[in-house]
Amino acid sequence: MIGQLRSVVLDCPDPRALATFYSELLGIPFAEGDAEDDWVVLGGPPGHQPRLAFQQALNLRPPAWPDPERPQQFHLDVTVDDIEAAEKAALALGARRLPGEGEGFRVYADPVGHPFCLCWD
């Protein structure tokens, strides 16, 4: 092993707003001491998983699922027990449904446009 995953970092225009969305979606608290508007972290200190960071990118050109001209670049899979209840809650937080789904998953975008999947077994 060369190293350990520190954080998954998402570029976005408003780090605090997108961090709030993911904090509610995933139940991950804000890390203590993150008061900056251009860098916000959810989770524990480095080395404690899961950990998501949000970095300000004022001229963000978001992915356009499923357009290959603006690919997703990365996405998060979120396991849920009840897809209908989870979808309703995610949409209420500001997510939007995207085209495409498969056996055991549906595709959504967060408020900034990053794709993520709600998955169930």
Side-chain angles (χ1 to χ4, degrees), residues 46-118:
H48 291 67
Q49 303 299 328
R51 191 172 150 89
L52 290 174
F54 303 86
Q55 170 176 274
Q56 189 173 47
L58 296 176
N59 296 316
L60 178 72
R61 195 166 168 234
W65 173 269
D67 182 359
E69 292 297 316
R70 289 181 27 211
Q72 64 179 330
Q73 302 159 8
F74 87 98
H75 74 276
L76 301 175
D77 285 343
V78 178
T79 300
V80 299
D81 292 325
D82 179 340
I83 183 58
E84 300 305 330
E87 177 177 271
K88 183 177 178 180
L91 295 175
L93 289 174
R96 61 187 163 83
R97 183 87 183 266
L98 295 176
E101 64 181 84
E103 187 175 323
F105 73 93
R106 292 183 188 165
V107 184
Y108 302 83
D110 68 23
V112 177
H114 302 107
F116 69 95
C117 294
L118 295 180

